[in-house]
Amino acid sequence: MSDYRKMWADLGLDLDAHDQLLQALPPTYHDVYLTQTNRPQKMDYFDFVVNEIHGLRIQELQQHKQQGGKVIGTFCVFVPEEIVRSAGGICIGLCSGLETGSGEVEKILPRQICPLIKSFMGFKLGKICPYFESCDLVVGETTCDGKKKAFELLNDYIPVHVMETPQMKRERDYKLWLKEIKDFAVKIEDITGQKITAASLKQSIIDTNAKRQALLRLASLRRHKPAPISGKDSLLIEQIAMYDDVTRFTQKVNELCDELEERINSGTGVAPANAPRIILSGTPMAIPNWKVPHIIESTGAIIVAEEMCTGLRYFEGLVPEDASSLEEAYANLAQRYLNINCAVFTPNNNRTQRLMELVEEYQADGVIHVSLSFCDPYSIEATQVEKACRQAGIPILKLETDYGQEDTEQLKTRVEAFCEMLR
Amino acid sequence: MRRAGVDIGSRTIAVVVMEEGKIIYSTVVDTGYQPNETAAALLTPFAAPVVATGYGRHAAKASFAREIITEIKAHALGTAYLFPEVRTILDIGGQDTKAILLSPQKAVVDFVMNDKCSAGTGKFLEVMAAALGYDIGEIGPAALAGKPGLKISNMCTVFAESEAISLLHRGTPRQDIALALHQSVAERAASLLKKISFVPPLVFTGGVAQNPCLVKLLSEILSTTVYVPASPQIVGALGAALHCATLI
């Protein structure tokens, strides 16, 4: 990785702090990922991507920028990445899965706030995220009050464009959202200097759909018993989906799926067929937040789906590819994105309905609901999720945690006891 | 056939050895600074297969234990052995409070635990006893003699301690403060039990079940009899030993 030091220095990273970050990651990744047995071979690409998380991909972004391209950073599955690419930009998800720079952050943010918000602010203020430092624009949204207000502060350090995501799904909300998408398109054209055309948008819709279809294929293979791939590996792929090159990523996921199909045909799994099957539901898990999945799978249980933004909410639902005009394509985008079952919506019954379907489809034995501390929408909606599960006779465990490791033992006891109940 | 169970907790280590379905030995010692070594030394003389539970279970499995189970399952098994009718268990240990609901067949159907802080646990009572100048065995009986009416509003160990100390400075009798502290612990435990919609009979286990004031307050708040085993601290280890007997 030594070749990258000049690039990091040129990007203005705090090299000492960045070194510390990079030293902390490999042992975590080794313990959580590389000690798994019977992993699919094609995971080697995703291991490589993580290994080069601040190297090769950043180099690609820099090459893109040297040729006049722009890089747009996001935090949310509501931001239509198709628009960024249709104007020649690269869209990437930003770092927010690790507690960092909290001393600096607490100067401007309250101490008791969502760890994800604290994290992205820490990455920016601490100058340790090369993705942040590569961005020409950050796109925020109004999916919660904490993020909404934090984006105002973030705007002091990097240009932020905020999209107003609706709180309900009525006709007038759809109209607002469509307008937001069109405004976003204008903003992106402005930044990249490239016009979005019906043809360019159509192409980026096709490319993004292909990525979603690859992820949907992976998801559907996880319905099999025994599970052909671990939940931790699947989550990693879903996390990487947000910042890797779209075409290459799609191809690599499909190659992995080919291998998983062979595994299914030969009855090979990563856990015995009778291992308890868990669906994770709740708040997103950004890299490297693998704490709860690692605890769950260390008990011998297997995670078969993530009803999360780093999961099904990101790739369920395709955008129609046959729009006859730019206007129609924008309308299709608005419709697809407004269908996401985020807890910011009221009411949000579709989420619990979908979760109940997933339990059937994935032959799950139980649901573990995980919300980040201080995340009101998901922590409160956990009550409805619990109620729906209990009515359907589905065992559920509710957890609330942050990025710290000090509650690991307590979480282990809860998760192990829950899995004992399922066996 | 000899079988052993060990519960390696945050404050104590309990060992139970069984033979032909009967307890032939049990002991409780302080956890100390080398819990795994202490537990292994206690078990060595019995040369029996061991199942471990408690916070130290994973370390025990890495060295001497054949199998591990969680404290939740261990308390369910141990309590059902002692009280075959039990439907709900309240376990208050050194660092955790757990409420466990059992089916009529004694399977765990639901459980809740306190958050990561030690509020309302044995550790909380230890700190408060020290602040009021009592031994841990004295604070419960003293609280029984306290006058009701006082309220401690903070459940954080540190804040509640400073609240208790400021009451002492105002000249409040220490047994009244002790009663108020017990009241808040009992209410917290009761709310955990309500969360799992508890069903009587209720059995109270763990070291804190030795506290007579808490037993009395809990039975008043919940309007139900609170049963306490003769040795509430060994119930987890007993459950582990019973589980061990099913393995081989």
Side-chain angles (χ1 to χ4, degrees), chain A residues 325-388:
Chain A
S325 66
L326 205 48
E327 184 67 26
E328 196 182 331
Y330 287 139
N332 288 340
L333 281 174
Q335 199 66 58
R336 187 267 163 195
Y337 280 90
L338 199 61
N339 272 338
I340 297 170
N341 299 321
C342 172
V344 76
F345 287 102
T346 183
N348 192 32
N349 302 330
N350 288 347
R351 178 174 166 225
T352 41
Q353 266 169 31
R354 182 72 193 115
L355 182 60
M356 297 301 104
E357 291 165 11
L358 293 173
V359 170
E360 288 284 315
E361 290 168 12
Y362 287 79
Q363 309 183 59
D365 300 301
V367 170
I368 297 185
H369 190 281
V370 190
S371 28
L372 286 167
S373 319
F374 311 109
C375 176
D376 288 346
Y378 280 93
S379 302
I380 297 171
E381 201 165 280
T383 302
Q384 280 130 306
V385 172
E386 183 180 29
K387 193 174 157 202

Coordinates of all heavy atoms in Angstrom, one line a residue, chain A residues 325-388:
Chain A
S325 N -39.1 8.8 -22.9 CA -38.6 10.2 -22.8 C -37.9 10.4 -21.5 O -38.0 9.5 -20.6 CB -39.8 11.2 -22.9 OG -40.6 11.0 -21.7
L326 N -37.1 11.5 -21.4 CA -36.4 11.8 -20.2 C -37.4 12.0 -19.1 O -37.2 11.5 -18.0 CB -35.6 13.1 -20.4 CG -34.4 13.3 -19.6 CD1 -33.5 12.1 -19.5 CD2 -33.6 14.5 -20.1
E327 N -38.5 12.6 -19.4 CA -39.6 12.9 -18.4 C -40.1 11.6 -17.8 O -40.2 11.5 -16.6 CB -40.7 13.7 -19.1 CG -41.8 14.1 -18.2 CD -41.4 15.2 -17.2 OE1 -40.5 15.9 -17.5 OE2 -42.1 15.2 -16.1
E328 N -40.3 10.6 -18.7 CA -40.9 9.4 -18.2 C -39.8 8.6 -17.4 O -40.2 7.9 -16.4 CB -41.3 8.5 -19.4 CG -42.2 7.3 -19.1 CD -42.5 6.5 -20.3 OE1 -42.6 7.1 -21.4 OE2 -42.8 5.3 -20.2
A329 N -38.6 8.7 -17.8 CA -37.5 8.0 -17.0 C -37.4 8.6 -15.6 O -37.3 7.9 -14.6 CB -36.2 8.2 -17.7
Y330 N -37.5 10.0 -15.5 CA -37.5 10.6 -14.2 C -38.7 10.1 -13.3 O -38.6 9.8 -12.1 CB -37.5 12.1 -14.3 CG -36.2 12.7 -14.7 CD1 -36.2 13.8 -15.6 CD2 -35.0 12.3 -14.3 CE1 -35.1 14.4 -16.1 CE2 -33.8 12.8 -14.7 CZ -33.8 13.9 -15.6 OH -32.7 14.4 -16.0
A331 N -39.8 10.0 -14.0 CA -41.0 9.5 -13.3 C -40.8 8.1 -12.8 O -41.2 7.8 -11.6 CB -42.3 9.6 -14.2
N332 N -40.2 7.3 -13.6 CA -40.0 5.9 -13.2 C -39.0 5.8 -12.0 O -39.2 5.0 -11.1 CB -39.4 5.1 -14.4 CG -40.4 4.8 -15.5 OD1 -41.6 4.8 -15.2 ND2 -39.9 4.6 -16.7
L333 N -38.0 6.7 -12.1 CA -37.0 6.7 -11.0 C -37.7 7.1 -9.7 O -37.6 6.5 -8.6 CB -35.9 7.7 -11.3 CG -34.8 7.3 -12.2 CD1 -33.9 8.5 -12.5 CD2 -34.0 6.1 -11.6
A334 N -38.5 8.2 -9.8 CA -39.2 8.7 -8.6 C -40.1 7.6 -8.0 O -40.1 7.4 -6.7 CB -40.1 9.9 -8.9
Q335 N -40.8 6.8 -8.8 CA -41.7 5.8 -8.3 C -40.9 4.7 -7.7 O -41.2 4.2 -6.6 CB -42.4 5.2 -9.6 CG -43.7 4.4 -9.2 CD -44.7 5.3 -8.6 OE1 -45.1 6.3 -9.2 NE2 -45.1 5.1 -7.3
R336 N -39.8 4.3 -8.3 CA -39.0 3.2 -7.7 C -38.4 3.5 -6.4 O -38.5 2.8 -5.4 CB -37.9 2.8 -8.7 CG -37.1 1.6 -8.3 CD -35.8 1.9 -7.5 NE -35.3 0.7 -6.8 CZ -34.5 0.8 -5.8 NH1 -34.0 1.9 -5.4 NH2 -34.0 -0.3 -5.2
Y337 N -37.9 4.8 -6.3 CA -37.2 5.1 -5.0 C -38.2 5.4 -3.9 O -37.9 5.1 -2.7 CB -36.3 6.3 -5.2 CG -34.9 5.9 -5.9 CD1 -34.8 5.8 -7.2 CD2 -33.9 5.5 -5.0 CE1 -33.6 5.4 -7.8 CE2 -32.7 5.1 -5.6 CZ -32.5 5.0 -7.0 OH -31.3 4.6 -7.5
L338 N -39.4 5.9 -4.3 CA -40.4 6.2 -3.2 C -40.9 4.9 -2.6 O -41.5 4.9 -1.6 CB -41.5 7.1 -3.8 CG -42.3 7.8 -2.8 CD1 -41.5 8.8 -1.9 CD2 -43.5 8.6 -3.4
N339 N -40.8 3.8 -3.3 CA -41.2 2.5 -2.8 C -40.4 1.9 -1.7 O -40.8 1.0 -1.1 CB -41.3 1.5 -3.9 CG -42.6 1.5 -4.7 OD1 -43.6 2.0 -4.1 ND2 -42.6 1.1 -5.9
I340 N -39.2 2.5 -1.4 CA -38.3 2.0 -0.4 C -39.1 2.1 1.0 O -39.6 3.2 1.3 CB -37.0 2.8 -0.4 CG1 -36.3 2.6 -1.7 CG2 -36.1 2.3 0.8 CD1 -35.1 3.5 -1.9
N341 N -39.0 1.0 1.7 CA -39.7 1.0 3.0 C -38.8 1.5 4.1 O -38.5 0.7 5.0 CB -40.3 -0.4 3.3 CG -41.2 -0.9 2.2 OD1 -42.0 -0.1 1.8 ND2 -41.2 -2.2 1.9
C342 N -38.5 2.7 4.1 CA -37.7 3.3 5.2 C -38.6 3.7 6.4 O -39.7 4.1 6.2 CB -36.9 4.6 4.6 SG -36.1 5.5 5.9
A343 N -38.0 3.6 7.6 CA -38.8 3.9 8.8 C -39.1 5.4 8.9 O -39.9 5.8 9.8 CB -38.1 3.4 10.0
V344 N -38.6 6.2 8.0 CA -38.9 7.6 8.1 C -40.3 7.9 7.6 O -40.9 8.9 7.9 CB -37.9 8.4 7.2 CG1 -38.1 8.3 5.8 CG2 -37.9 9.9 7.6
F345 N -40.9 6.9 6.9 CA -42.3 7.1 6.4 C -43.3 6.8 7.4 O -43.1 5.9 8.3 CB -42.5 6.2 5.2 CG -41.8 6.6 3.9 CD1 -40.7 6.0 3.5 CD2 -42.3 7.7 3.2 CE1 -40.0 6.5 2.4 CE2 -41.6 8.2 2.1 CZ -40.5 7.5 1.7
T346 N -44.4 7.5 7.4 CA -45.6 7.2 8.2 C -46.8 7.2 7.4 O -47.0 8.1 6.6 CB -45.7 8.2 9.4 OG1 -46.8 7.8 10.2 CG2 -46.0 9.7 8.9
P347 N -47.6 6.1 7.4 CA -47.2 4.8 8.1 C -46.3 4.1 7.2 O -46.0 4.5 6.1 CB -48.6 4.1 8.1 CG -49.3 4.6 6.9 CD -48.9 6.0 6.7
N348 N -45.7 3.0 7.8 CA -44.7 2.2 7.0 C -45.0 0.7 7.1 O -44.1 -0.1 7.3 CB -43.3 2.5 7.6 CG -42.2 2.0 6.7 OD1 -42.3 2.0 5.4 ND2 -41.1 1.6 7.2
N349 N -46.3 0.4 6.9 CA -46.8 -1.0 7.1 C -46.1 -1.9 6.1 O -46.0 -3.1 6.3 CB -48.3 -1.0 6.9 CG -49.0 -0.2 7.9 OD1 -48.5 0.1 9.0 ND2 -50.2 0.4 7.6
N350 N -45.8 -1.4 4.9 CA -45.2 -2.2 3.9 C -43.9 -2.9 4.4 O -43.6 -4.0 3.9 CB -44.9 -1.4 2.6 CG -46.1 -1.0 1.9 OD1 -47.2 -1.5 2.2 ND2 -46.0 -0.1 1.0
R351 N -43.2 -2.2 5.3 CA -42.0 -2.8 5.8 C -42.3 -4.1 6.5 O -41.6 -5.2 6.3 CB -41.2 -1.9 6.7 CG -39.9 -2.5 7.2 CD -39.1 -1.5 8.0 NE -38.1 -2.2 8.7 CZ -37.8 -2.0 10.0 NH1 -38.4 -1.1 10.7 NH2 -36.9 -2.8 10.6
T352 N -43.2 -4.1 7.5 CA -43.5 -5.3 8.3 C -44.1 -6.3 7.4 O -43.8 -7.5 7.5 CB -44.4 -4.9 9.5 OG1 -45.4 -4.0 9.0 CG2 -43.6 -4.3 10.6
Q353 N -44.9 -5.9 6.4 CA -45.5 -6.9 5.5 C -44.4 -7.6 4.7 O -44.4 -8.9 4.6 CB -46.4 -6.2 4.5 CG -47.9 -6.2 5.0 CD -48.7 -5.3 4.1 OE1 -48.4 -5.1 2.9 NE2 -49.7 -4.7 4.7
R354 N -43.5 -6.9 4.2 CA -42.4 -7.5 3.4 C -41.6 -8.4 4.3 O -41.2 -9.5 3.9 CB -41.5 -6.3 2.8 CG -40.4 -6.8 1.9 CD -40.9 -7.4 0.6 NE -39.9 -8.1 -0.1 CZ -39.9 -9.4 -0.4 NH1 -41.0 -10.1 0.0 NH2 -38.9 -10.0 -1.0
L355 N -41.3 -8.0 5.5 CA -40.5 -8.8 6.4 C -41.2 -10.1 6.7 O -40.5 -11.2 6.7 CB -40.3 -8.0 7.8 CG -39.5 -8.7 8.8 CD1 -38.1 -9.0 8.3 CD2 -39.4 -7.9 10.1
M356 N -42.5 -10.1 6.8 CA -43.2 -11.4 7.0 C -43.1 -12.3 5.8 O -42.9 -13.5 5.9 CB -44.7 -11.1 7.3 CG -45.0 -10.4 8.6 SD -44.4 -11.2 10.1 CE -42.9 -10.1 10.4
E357 N -43.2 -11.7 4.6 CA -43.0 -12.5 3.4 C -41.6 -13.1 3.3 O -41.4 -14.2 2.9 CB -43.2 -11.6 2.1 CG -44.6 -11.1 1.9 CD -44.7 -10.0 0.9 OE1 -43.7 -9.7 0.2 OE2 -45.8 -9.4 0.8
L358 N -40.6 -12.2 3.7 CA -39.2 -12.7 3.7 C -39.0 -13.9 4.6 O -38.2 -14.8 4.2 CB -38.2 -11.6 4.1 CG -38.1 -10.4 3.2 CD1 -37.3 -9.2 3.8 CD2 -37.5 -10.8 1.8
V359 N -39.6 -13.9 5.8 CA -39.5 -15.0 6.7 C -39.9 -16.3 6.0 O -39.2 -17.3 6.1 CB -40.3 -14.8 8.0 CG1 -40.3 -16.0 8.8 CG2 -39.7 -13.6 8.8
E360 N -41.0 -16.2 5.2 CA -41.5 -17.4 4.5 C -40.5 -17.8 3.3 O -40.0 -18.9 3.2 CB -42.8 -17.1 3.8 CG -44.0 -17.0 4.8 CD -44.4 -18.4 5.2 OE1 -44.5 -19.3 4.3 OE2 -44.6 -18.6 6.4
E361 N -40.1 -16.8 2.5 CA -39.3 -17.0 1.3 C -37.9 -17.6 1.7 O -37.4 -18.4 1.0 CB -39.1 -15.7 0.6 CG -40.4 -15.2 -0.1 CD -40.2 -13.8 -0.7 OE1 -39.1 -13.2 -0.7 OE2 -41.3 -13.2 -1.0
Y362 N -37.4 -17.1 2.8 CA -36.0 -17.5 3.1 C -36.0 -18.6 4.2 O -34.9 -18.9 4.7 CB -35.2 -16.3 3.6 CG -34.9 -15.3 2.5 CD1 -35.8 -14.5 2.0 CD2 -33.6 -15.4 1.9 CE1 -35.6 -13.6 0.9 CE2 -33.3 -14.6 0.8 CZ -34.3 -13.7 0.3 OH -34.0 -12.9 -0.8
Q363 N -37.1 -19.2 4.5 CA -37.2 -20.3 5.5 C -36.5 -19.9 6.8 O -35.8 -20.7 7.4 CB -36.6 -21.6 4.9 CG -37.1 -22.0 3.6 CD -36.5 -23.3 3.1 OE1 -36.6 -24.3 3.8 NE2 -35.8 -23.3 2.0
A364 N -36.8 -18.7 7.2 CA -36.1 -18.2 8.4 C -36.8 -18.7 9.7 O -38.0 -19.0 9.7 CB -36.2 -16.6 8.4
D365 N -36.0 -18.9 10.7 CA -36.5 -19.3 12.0 C -36.7 -18.2 13.0 O -37.5 -18.3 14.0 CB -35.5 -20.3 12.7 CG -35.2 -21.5 11.8 OD1 -36.2 -22.2 11.5 OD2 -34.0 -21.7 11.4
G366 N -36.1 -17.1 12.7 CA -36.3 -15.9 13.6 C -35.8 -14.6 13.0 O -35.1 -14.6 12.0
V367 N -36.2 -13.5 13.7 CA -35.8 -12.2 13.2 C -35.0 -11.5 14.3 O -35.3 -11.6 15.5 CB -37.0 -11.3 12.9 CG1 -36.6 -9.9 12.6 CG2 -37.8 -11.9 11.7
I368 N -33.8 -10.9 14.0 CA -33.1 -10.1 14.9 C -33.2 -8.7 14.4 O -32.7 -8.4 13.3 CB -31.7 -10.6 15.1 CG1 -31.7 -12.0 15.7 CG2 -30.9 -9.6 16.0 CD1 -30.3 -12.5 16.1
H369 N -33.8 -7.8 15.2 CA -34.0 -6.4 14.8 C -32.8 -5.6 15.5 O -32.7 -5.6 16.7 CB -35.3 -5.9 15.3 CG -35.6 -4.5 14.7 ND1 -35.1 -3.4 15.3 CD2 -36.4 -4.1 13.7 CE1 -35.6 -2.3 14.5 NE2 -36.4 -2.8 13.6
V370 N -32.1 -4.9 14.7 CA -30.9 -4.2 15.3 C -31.1 -2.7 14.9 O -31.2 -2.3 13.7 CB -29.6 -4.6 14.7 CG1 -28.4 -4.0 15.4 CG2 -29.5 -6.1 14.7
S371 N -31.2 -1.8 15.9 CA -31.2 -0.4 15.6 C -30.0 0.3 16.3 O -29.5 -0.1 17.3 CB -32.5 0.3 16.0 OG -33.1 -0.3 17.0
L372 N -29.5 1.3 15.6 CA -28.4 2.1 16.1 C -29.0 2.9 17.3 O -30.1 3.3 17.2 CB -27.8 3.0 15.0 CG -27.0 2.3 14.0 CD1 -26.7 3.3 12.8 CD2 -25.6 1.9 14.6
S373 N -28.2 3.1 18.3 CA -28.6 4.0 19.4 C -29.0 5.3 18.9 O -28.4 5.9 18.0 CB -27.4 4.2 20.4 OG -26.7 3.0 20.6
F374 N -30.0 5.9 19.5 CA -30.6 7.2 19.2 C -31.2 7.3 17.8 O -31.4 8.4 17.2 CB -29.5 8.3 19.3 CG -28.7 8.2 20.6 CD1 -27.4 7.8 20.7 CD2 -29.4 8.5 21.8 CE1 -26.8 7.7 21.9 CE2 -28.7 8.4 23.0 CZ -27.4 8.0 23.1
C375 N -31.5 6.2 17.1 CA -32.2 6.2 15.8 C -33.7 6.1 16.1 O -34.2 5.0 16.2 CB -31.7 5.1 14.9 SG -32.6 5.1 13.4
D376 N -34.3 7.2 16.3 CA -35.8 7.2 16.6 C -36.6 6.4 15.7 O -37.4 5.6 16.1 CB -36.3 8.6 16.8 CG -35.7 9.2 18.1 OD1 -35.2 8.5 18.9 OD2 -35.9 10.5 18.2
P377 N -36.5 6.7 14.3 CA -37.5 6.0 13.4 C -37.4 4.5 13.6 O -38.5 3.8 13.7 CB -37.0 6.4 12.0 CG -36.3 7.8 12.3 CD -35.7 7.6 13.6
Y378 N -36.2 3.9 13.6 CA -36.1 2.4 13.6 C -36.3 1.9 15.0 O -37.0 0.8 15.2 CB -34.8 2.0 13.1 CG -34.8 1.9 11.5 CD1 -34.4 3.0 10.8 CD2 -35.4 0.8 10.9 CE1 -34.5 3.0 9.4 CE2 -35.5 0.8 9.5 CZ -35.1 1.9 8.8 OH -35.2 1.9 7.4
S379 N -35.8 2.6 16.1 CA -36.0 2.1 17.4 C -37.5 2.1 17.8 O -38.0 1.1 18.5 CB -35.3 3.0 18.4 OG -34.0 3.1 18.1
I380 N -38.3 3.1 17.3 CA -39.7 3.1 17.6 C -40.4 2.1 16.8 O -41.3 1.3 17.3 CB -40.3 4.5 17.5 CG1 -39.6 5.5 18.4 CG2 -41.8 4.5 17.7 CD1 -39.9 6.9 18.2
E381 N -40.1 2.0 15.5 CA -40.8 1.1 14.6 C -40.5 -0.4 15.0 O -41.2 -1.3 14.6 CB -40.4 1.3 13.1 CG -41.4 0.8 12.1 CD -41.1 1.3 10.7 OE1 -41.6 2.4 10.5 OE2 -40.5 0.6 9.9
A382 N -39.5 -0.6 15.8 CA -39.2 -2.0 16.3 C -40.4 -2.5 17.0 O -40.6 -3.7 17.0 CB -37.9 -1.9 17.2
T383 N -41.1 -1.7 17.6 CA -42.3 -2.2 18.4 C -43.3 -2.8 17.4 O -43.9 -3.9 17.6 CB -43.0 -1.0 19.1 OG1 -42.0 -0.4 20.0 CG2 -44.2 -1.4 19.9
Q384 N -43.5 -2.1 16.2 CA -44.5 -2.7 15.2 C -43.9 -4.0 14.6 O -44.6 -4.9 14.3 CB -44.7 -1.7 14.1 CG -45.8 -0.6 14.5 CD -45.3 0.8 14.3 OE1 -44.2 1.2 14.7 NE2 -46.1 1.5 13.5
V385 N -42.6 -4.0 14.4 CA -41.9 -5.2 13.8 C -42.1 -6.3 14.8 O -42.5 -7.5 14.5 CB -40.4 -4.9 13.6 CG1 -39.7 -6.2 13.2 CG2 -40.3 -3.9 12.4
E386 N -41.9 -6.0 16.1 CA -42.0 -7.1 17.1 C -43.5 -7.6 17.2 O -43.7 -8.8 17.2 CB -41.7 -6.5 18.5 CG -41.7 -7.5 19.6 CD -41.3 -7.0 21.0 OE1 -41.5 -5.7 21.2 OE2 -40.8 -7.7 21.8
K387 N -44.4 -6.7 17.1 CA -45.8 -7.1 17.2 C -46.2 -8.0 16.0 O -46.8 -9.0 16.2 CB -46.7 -5.8 17.2 CG -48.1 -6.0 17.5 CD -48.9 -4.7 17.6 CE -50.4 -4.9 17.4 NZ -51.0 -3.7 17.0
A388 N -45.8 -7.6 14.8 CA -46.1 -8.4 13.6 C -45.5 -9.8 13.8 O -46.1 -10.8 13.4 CB -45.6 -7.7 12.4

